[in-house]
Amino acid sequence: MQIEEREIPVGELRHGMFVCRLDRPWEETPFLLQGFLIESESDLATLRRLCRRVWIDIEKSHARGASTGPGFSSSGAAAGLSPTQAFARELPAARKAREAAMAATRSLLDAASRQHALPTDAVSATVVPVVESVSRSPDAFFWLQALAERDAYHYTHALNCCALAATLARHIGLPTGLVNEVATGALMMDIGKAALPAAVFDHPGPLSDTQRDTVRSHVGLSLSLMAKSGVSTPDLDAMVASHHERHDGSGYPEGLRGGRIPLYGRILGLVDTYDAMVSARPHQAAKSRHDVLQYLYRERDSLFQSELVEQFSQCLGVYPTGSLVELNTGEVAVVMNQNPARRLFPRVTVLTRPDKTVDPAFRQVDLLVESADPDPERQLRIVKALPDGAFGLDVSELYL
């Protein structure tokens, strides 16, 4: 996977550059996360005081007036591509990546359901194309996820979490090797559930104490399957073992708190919760992606680390790609891709007329452009997030 980084002296740093590596350990600096966007003079002053050279992420930077060499666009896209252009160019590759990853994920979970050793080649066959695709354009991959026909939850959940974990790890500036490792952990964390009775997960109401203990046993089963298959490493084991721990100590199996939970376990816990809540399951209806991000934000420094929640919200956007939204006209649309400059105004595909009947024109609209119309009567904006399936709309059936 090629991620374009550029090493520069701190004297050349400008606002809008995304710093992904330093010439000293992150722990020796006041920066909370590994990777951040330079947004203030204070950031610049701190970097100039502590470092001589740093590495910037070209794709995630959007320097204002800074000359960073050939192939850098002030919009933040590599090789002069706008986010919309990058999205369109990535779609064919993202489609192939998703198809290959889904096939490999099925083989992993099918082996796990029989408690057989996992096909280790299927792990890399899932992780590598997903990480490469979301590194180029996460919007393209998540758009295709939204369009895909509904598959069994445990298949789609594993793949979704792999992609979400890779996106968050990439966003906070983890190096390539760790992005792959975190994505692998996300793929593996619930693999043990495939070996448990389906009836436990298909149960429509609250679980009994015995059923809850059965569900919680999936953590140990995942670790056992990983060890049996030669997938284990100390870091992978630690993140999988801790993905149900919570910041306030209310999680399981050890009741770890705060910084005692490995960083990568905190990442997995966050993406696991998000994808579970936006998905329809026998015991709960799907919630809108926007509402789930709001829930995670309310639970910051209670269930989840505040800084990670904020970074997760930033990398997905206010209305994450694939979200159904209602416009001020009454029309329903689906979010196609983000506008990094104005997260409240993504690019959308309009699905219905104001009366909520399907409009087969499926026109594509850039809300950033539409919201700037000088006539307030013609301005178009989002007024409400909707859960998947609202008004009987199934995006996967609309042949977008």
Side-chain angles (χ1 to χ4, degrees):
M1 178 178 63
Q2 296 298 314
I3 297 173
E4 189 175 357
E5 297 178 353
R6 184 159 300 153
E7 180 183 0
I8 63 172
V10 292
E12 295 182 12
L13 288 172
R14 300 289 185 273
H15 286 232
M17 291 183 178
F18 190 95
V19 178
C20 58
R21 285 199 287 147
L22 308 176
D23 62 2
R24 62 187 297 161
W26 287 94
E27 310 87 73
E28 297 176 5
T29 74
F31 302 114
L32 293 172
L33 292 169
Q34 297 183 16
F36 66 96
L37 191 70
I38 298 175
E39 298 181 300
S40 68
E41 287 299 323
S42 176
D43 290 339
L44 286 170
T46 301
L47 286 166
R48 288 166 181 160
R49 176 171 56 85
L50 295 175
C51 304
R52 292 185 177 182
R53 305 187 70 81
V54 301
W55 286 258
I56 62 169
D57 182 322
I58 300 300
E59 181 183 348
K60 291 166 67 175
S61 297
H62 46 81
R64 296 189 294 273
S67 174
T68 54
F72 185 84
S73 161
S74 62
S75 70
L81 292 178
S82 70
T84 299
Q85 289 171 323
F87 171 87
R89 194 165 86 165
E90 176 59 20
L91 274 176
R95 184 172 288 107
K96 290 181 181 177
R98 188 189 178 280
E99 289 171 356
M102 182 56 80
T105 299
R106 286 196 185 96
S107 69
L108 280 170
L109 290 168
D110 290 347
S113 69
R114 298 189 296 274
Q115 299 193 46
H116 291 173
L118 305 175
T120 53
D121 57 338
V123 177
S124 59
T126 301
V127 170
V128 171
V130 169
V131 172
E132 289 181 343
S133 181
V134 300
S135 294
R136 292 187 296 262
S137 172
D139 286 331
F141 193 90
F142 291 129
W143 171 246
L144 292 176
Q145 288 286 78
L147 296 186
E149 292 183 10
R150 298 292 184 267
D151 211 325
Y153 170 74
H154 57 287
Y155 294 136
T156 54
H157 181 64
L159 186 55
N160 289 348
C161 287
C162 179
L164 288 165
T167 301
L168 177 55
R170 176 90 171 81
H171 178 79
I172 65 175
L174 296 184
T176 303
L178 284 178
V179 173
N180 281 293
E181 192 159 26
V182 171
T184 300
L187 181 68
M188 293 284 104
M189 64 183 170
D190 284 341
I191 199 95
K193 286 184 176 180
L196 295 174
V200 175
F201 301 101
D202 294 339
H203 190 71
L207 298 176
S208 67
D209 289 345
T210 300
Q211 289 171 319
R212 188 175 297 107
D213 289 342
T214 299
V215 169
R216 291 185 172 188
S217 72
H218 81 273
V219 176
L221 284 170
S222 295
L223 292 168
S224 296
L225 281 166
M226 289 164 59
K228 179 191 295 186
S229 310
V231 178
S232 287
T233 69
D235 285 342
L236 270 177
D237 288 355
M239 68 178 87
V240 170
S242 62
H243 78 278
H244 280 293
E245 303 289 356
R246 293 295 176 259
H247 193 76
D248 59 4
S250 62
Y252 68 89
E254 301 294 334
L256 301 178
R257 289 177 176 270
R260 293 189 61 202
I261 306 169
L263 171 62
Y264 310 134
R266 285 175 253 161
I267 290 174
L268 299 197
L270 195 57
V271 302
D272 181 38
T273 301
Y274 171 83
D275 189 68
M277 292 183 71
V278 302
S279 303
R281 293 183 288 166
H283 62 282
Q284 73 165 38
K287 295 178 172 60
S288 78
R289 294 164 174 83
H290 173 80
D291 287 347
V292 173
L293 287 178
Q294 294 297 303
Y295 163 79
L296 295 175
Y297 187 76
R298 290 193 299 272
E299 295 297 332
R300 68 195 189 283
D301 279 341
S302 176
L303 297 181
F304 307 102
Q305 181 189 5
S306 178
E307 293 86 359
L308 273 183
V309 172
E310 290 169 4
Q311 293 293 324
F312 189 51
S313 297
Q314 285 179 25
C315 77
L316 291 188
V318 178
Y319 301 101
T321 300
S323 297
L324 283 182
V325 293
E326 186 169 346
L327 306 179
N328 58 322
T329 56
E331 296 164 304
V332 175
V334 59
V335 175
M336 285 186 70
N337 61 304
Q338 302 296 317
N339 186 328
R342 298 286 297 278
R343 293 290 191 173
L344 287 172
F345 301 98
R347 188 163 170 258
V348 304
T349 296
V350 179
L351 304 179
T352 77
R353 304 178 182 92
D355 64 1
K356 307 302 188 289
T357 57
V358 172
D359 181 355
F362 296 138
R363 75 185 191 278
Q364 295 180 6
V365 175
D366 187 336
L367 292 181
L368 183 60
V369 174
E370 297 294 328
S371 67
D373 194 299
D375 183 353
E377 295 296 319
R378 293 203 300 265
Q379 290 177 1
L380 204 57
R381 64 187 181 277
I382 295 171
V383 295
K384 183 166 54 175
L386 300 169
D388 286 355
F391 301 108
L393 295 168
D394 186 339
V395 178
S396 68
E397 294 181 350
L398 295 178
Y399 305 104
L400 300 177

